[in-house]
Every structure is written in C-alpha cells, then in structure tokens.
Amino acid sequence: GKKKYEDYKFDIEYEYNPEYDFGVVMRKASIICTKGKITLTNAAQRFCFDGGEYEVYTQYVGWCNESRGEFAPLVTGVTAQSKGIRSNFGASPFAVLWNLQSGRGTAFHLITDSAWKIDFTNTPDVKDYVKVVADMGINNSNLWFTLNEGESLNLPSVVYYDVKNKVDLDSYK
C-alpha cells in the first residue's frame, strides 16, 4: 500500500550570509524514515512559482563543447540531467527560470555527487490554475532506494538566487 506521511518526514534547512546580502540561499533537505521502511522512487527538492510565460536556461556540457548554454521557452517542460556520477557530463547542474512578464529570474545550482536531474514543468492544479514546478535532485531514472526505520537520505543541496541580468545571470553573486 501507499505510505502515509507519518512514516517519513522532511528536514529542511536554509543558509545565507546576511553580511554579504546578495540574496544567495542554500537549501539542504533530507528524508527520514520514522516508521517501518519506505522505498523512494523520487528524491528531489521542489520549488513552485506562479504561472506565466517563462524561459529556462540550461547548459550542455561535453568534450570540446563546455558550457554551451541557451534559454528555451517553457511550454510544457524542460529537463537537464546527468545519468552518471560525473556531475557535468551531458549538462551542467545549473539552470535559470526566467519570467518574461517581470524580466527577472531565479538561478538554481544543484550541489550533487550523484546522477542528478533538474526538471521544470507547467503544471495545472485542481482548479486549472497553471503553476511552474521545479524539481531538482537525484536522477529518478530507475531509482528504487529503501530507507529502514531511523535511516535518512540527504538530498543534493540547492543554491538559488534572484537574477535581474539575463546576459551574465548575475554571476557576481
């Protein structure tokens, strides 16, 4: 059967340095099995945004093709991923969600040591209100990870910040 929320919990921490107020935040999360055992088929952190017109910046990374990045319209979904332990093989674990109406975005950098996936989707909710969902974490392709009672799994940390400059993506931050 389906596991109840009482069988596990999420522990989420936020870190930022107010001395250097660039708005850079690191979010750390872990999943803890509190009862019995649970099997994970998805291990990602989620960020939700209001619906609208968006573009997503991703970077392709390959031999002699390092850091080829470009914005793509977010129509239904945009995904960047690496299926191996080389964190920059195929794509960089960095993406920007850019709101075309506000002229601002949010940059995400996934800090990972495993196969990973960053996925942006336009998702209607129960009232057909569209929202943008950003899931990022361990690549869920063939993921089947069991936690026994008392065990936990640390998800890859996510560093994120507000972006106002579409050209250099506020890289000084």
Side-chain angles (χ1 to χ4, degrees), residues 1-54:
K2 207 169 188 177
K3 286 295 186 180
K4 299 176 188 170
Y5 183 71
E6 299 89 40
D7 295 346
Y8 59 94
K9 71 176 187 173
F10 294 99
D11 183 26
I12 300 174
E13 295 178 28
Y14 295 90
E15 293 180 13
Y16 77 99
N17 186 341
E19 187 175 322
Y20 302 101
D21 190 19
F22 292 119
V24 177
V25 178
M26 177 181 280
R27 186 164 102 176
K28 298 178 179 182
S30 58
I31 301 170
I32 301 115
C33 178
T34 57
K35 181 179 172 185
K37 74 177 182 179
I38 59 172
T39 300
L40 304 173
T41 56
N42 193 353
Q45 296 196 52
R46 175 167 280 186
F47 298 80
C48 295
F49 299 85
D50 286 335
E53 294 180 57
Y54 287 91

Side-chain angles (χ1 to χ4, degrees), residues 92-117:
S92 175
F94 176 82
V96 176
L97 179 65
W98 187 264
N99 184 313
L100 292 169
Q101 280 99 0
S102 69
R104 297 174 75 147
T106 303
F108 298 95
H109 186 173
L110 188 65
I111 310 299
T112 182
D113 61 359
S114 65
W116 58 269
K117 186 175 188 178

Side-chain angles (χ1 to χ4, degrees), residues 1-164:
K2 207 169 188 177
K3 286 295 186 180
K4 299 176 188 170
Y5 183 71
E6 299 89 40
D7 295 346
Y8 59 94
K9 71 176 187 173
F10 294 99
D11 183 26
I12 300 174
E13 295 178 28
Y14 295 90
E15 293 180 13
Y16 77 99
N17 186 341
E19 187 175 322
Y20 302 101
D21 190 19
F22 292 119
V24 177
V25 178
M26 177 181 280
R27 186 164 102 176
K28 298 178 179 182
S30 58
I31 301 170
I32 301 115
C33 178
T34 57
K35 181 179 172 185
K37 74 177 182 179
I38 59 172
T39 300
L40 304 173
T41 56
N42 193 353
Q45 296 196 52
R46 175 167 280 186
F47 298 80
C48 295
F49 299 85
D50 286 335
E53 294 180 57
Y54 287 91
E55 292 179 330
V56 176
Y57 176 85
T58 58
Q59 291 179 330
Y60 171 78
V61 179
W63 185 253
C64 295
N65 287 297
E66 289 83 4
S67 302
R68 264 191 342 184
E70 191 169 319
F71 280 92
L74 179 59
V75 178
T76 56
V78 173
T79 299
Q81 64 183 334
S82 178
K83 294 184 178 181
I85 60 171
R86 292 175 54 198
S87 65
N88 279 325
F89 184 71
S92 175
F94 176 82
V96 176
L97 179 65
W98 187 264
N99 184 313
L100 292 169
Q101 280 99 0
S102 69
R104 297 174 75 147
T106 303
F108 298 95
H109 186 173
L110 188 65
I111 310 299
T112 182
D113 61 359
S114 65
W116 58 269
K117 186 175 188 178
I118 299 175
D119 194 34
F120 295 92
T121 55
N122 271 323
T123 306
D125 68 8
V126 292
K127 296 178 183 173
D128 285 334
Y129 174 76
V130 176
K131 63 182 176 188
V132 174
V133 175
D135 289 319
M136 51 199 75
I138 297 171
N139 194 318
N140 61 353
S141 177
N142 299 314
L143 181 64
W144 191 264
F145 191 84
T146 301
L147 292 174
N148 293 307
E149 189 170 327
E151 293 180 332
S152 63
L153 173 66
N154 293 329
L155 300 178
S157 298
V158 178
V159 174
Y160 63 95
Y161 60 90
D162 186 53
V163 174
K164 296 176 186 167

